[in-house]
Amino acid sequence: MSRVRELFTFSVERNDIDWNEVVATQVCRYSQKKCMKVRKSQPGISIGTCTVQYGKDNRDVIICPHRLIERKQIFIDCLHLLTSHTPGNELHIVPEVSIPGGSVDYFLVSTDSNRKVKDFVGIELQTIDTTGSIWTERELALKELGLANGDDAGNKTYGMNWKMTAKTILVQLHHKITTFENINKHLVLVVQDCLLDYIRKEFSFDHVSSQPLLGDSMHFHSYNLKKDAENYKLTLGSRYSTDSNGISKLLGLNADANLKFEEIALILEPKISDSTILAIA
């Protein structure tokens, strides 16, 4: 049995899906684009794996960051961090914003009626990086779904790169958090619960508050992936917060970044349009 649990955003257990159309179009419902995970030897083919089972307990593990934006719930869960947002302001979701010191996956932005930035929250998404190849399990899943092109299974397997994933994202946060803290704004890391569990176990996490403080610049939002009938759904499981010193303590590193609010606002404003409005479908 294939260990792929979600393919092109749909549970493989669903019988009401036209799987031939799903695999042919290769579209991710969350990004509303063609799935970005492609086979290196066949770049025209998207792999489409969102969630797989892993470990002795066959835990469902999310391996694609786009999977985290289901229902846009992660953005709703950051609204309270927009401390300068006022009723009547527009809310925008701006993806892939480059700022001095790095790139941020998303900004949740509050603007006035003239679309001038009044407040923002930076949001980083992180899922587990895999090692090896997921292709064998993907092809086996297609075969089990009765698709003719699901017969090139091969015998390769995959693993989870917990250590590198955790270390990489924490280093990235360290480079960025001082920028947000200097202008009294928030940065949020969104992860699945199993990744945060690993970080808590392998890094010095005791100083990070399990009672999130609005005054802290760095927030961790951990999500559970729960099965509801034949579908999977993300729910907020836990929240933590700390500051730039807390991130430094996690890694034993130092950061030096001092970017003003106005500089980030000037980067965000040209990216804001009708298409970035936060709309709940």
Side-chain angles (χ1 to χ4, degrees):
M1 180 177 177
S2 172
R3 290 183 289 172
V4 173
R5 296 292 86 204
E6 289 183 300
L7 192 63
F8 293 108
T9 76
F10 294 103
S11 167
V12 295
E13 296 183 17
R14 290 186 59 172
N15 297 317
D16 60 334
I17 300 296
D18 185 342
W19 284 106
N20 282 296
E21 180 179 359
V22 168
V23 175
T25 56
Q26 307 184 93
V27 173
C28 169
R29 287 184 297 163
Y30 306 128
S31 68
Q32 297 182 339
K33 299 177 182 178
K34 179 182 176 181
C35 173
M36 67 177 186
K37 289 178 174 284
V38 298
R39 196 180 190 193
K40 292 181 180 179
S41 60
Q42 296 173 289
I45 298 179
S46 293
I47 299 175
T49 49
C50 313
T51 305
V52 298
Q53 288 183 334
Y54 188 75
K56 295 180 180 179
D57 57 351
N58 287 326
R59 184 167 189 172
D60 296 322
V61 179
I62 297 172
I63 61 173
C64 177
H66 289 306
R67 176 65 182 81
L68 295 172
I69 61 177
E70 171 207 327
R71 298 176 295 120
K72 298 179 181 174
Q73 185 64 43
I74 62 170
F75 303 111
I76 300 300
D77 293 336
C78 292
L79 288 175
H80 67 290
L81 298 174
L82 288 172
T83 54
S84 296
H85 174 75
T86 59
N89 280 13
E90 291 184 348
L91 292 171
H92 293 262
I93 301 171
V94 183
E96 300 175 5
V97 179
S98 294
I99 62 173
S103 177
V104 179
D105 291 331
Y106 290 93
F107 271 77
L108 175 62
V109 185
S110 172
T111 73
D112 63 17
S113 58
N114 295 317
R115 292 188 170 169
K116 294 296 183 181
V117 173
K118 295 301 178 181
D119 203 356
F120 55 77
V121 176
I123 303 173
E124 291 277 62
L125 312 183
Q126 185 63 56
T127 51
I128 302 296
D129 293 330
T130 57
T131 60
S133 174
I134 205 75
W135 185 256
T136 296
E137 296 293 334
R138 186 256 198 196
E139 289 296 284
L140 182 56
L142 293 184
K143 188 174 184 179
E144 292 171 353
L145 290 169
L147 301 186
N149 61 336
D151 55 4
D152 181 25
N155 57 8
K156 295 182 179 180
T157 187
Y158 66 90
M160 298 291 171
N161 200 347
W162 298 97
K163 183 176 182 180
M164 185 58 68
T165 299
K167 184 67 176 291
T168 299
I169 188 58
L170 290 176
V171 169
Q172 291 175 355
L173 293 177
H174 181 262
H175 291 326
K176 300 167 188 175
I177 188 56
T178 305
T179 293
F180 284 84
E181 190 167 288
N182 284 340
I183 55 176
N184 198 29
K185 299 302 173 187
H186 301 94
L187 179 62
V188 181
L189 174 65
V190 175
V191 295
Q192 190 180 357
D193 53 358
C194 53
L195 178 53
L196 187 60
D197 288 345
Y198 179 87
I199 292 173
R200 292 178 61 195
K201 177 183 176 182
E202 298 297 326
F203 294 83
S204 176
F205 205 83
D206 291 342
H207 62 284
V208 179
S209 175
S210 60
Q211 300 294 322
L213 304 174
L214 196 59
D216 279 342
S217 53
M218 183 72 237
H219 288 250
F220 298 84
H221 288 186
S222 169
Y223 286 80
N224 306 319
L225 184 65
K226 296 184 176 181
K227 192 174 182 183
D228 180 13
E230 294 180 342
N231 297 304
Y232 289 87
K233 180 180 179 180
L234 282 174
T235 59
L236 182 62
S238 61
R239 297 185 296 123
Y240 294 83
S241 72
T242 188
D243 55 15
S244 60
N245 288 333
I247 297 298
S248 296
K249 188 174 180 180
L250 276 169
L251 291 168
L253 301 173
N254 295 312
D256 184 15
N258 190 357
L259 198 65
K260 295 181 180 179
F261 176 92
E262 292 77 10
E263 293 179 74
I264 296 182
L266 288 174
I267 295 171
L268 290 171
E269 285 170 0
K271 297 176 179 289
I272 291 171
S273 67
D274 290 341
S275 65
T276 62
I277 284 280
L278 174 55
I280 309 303

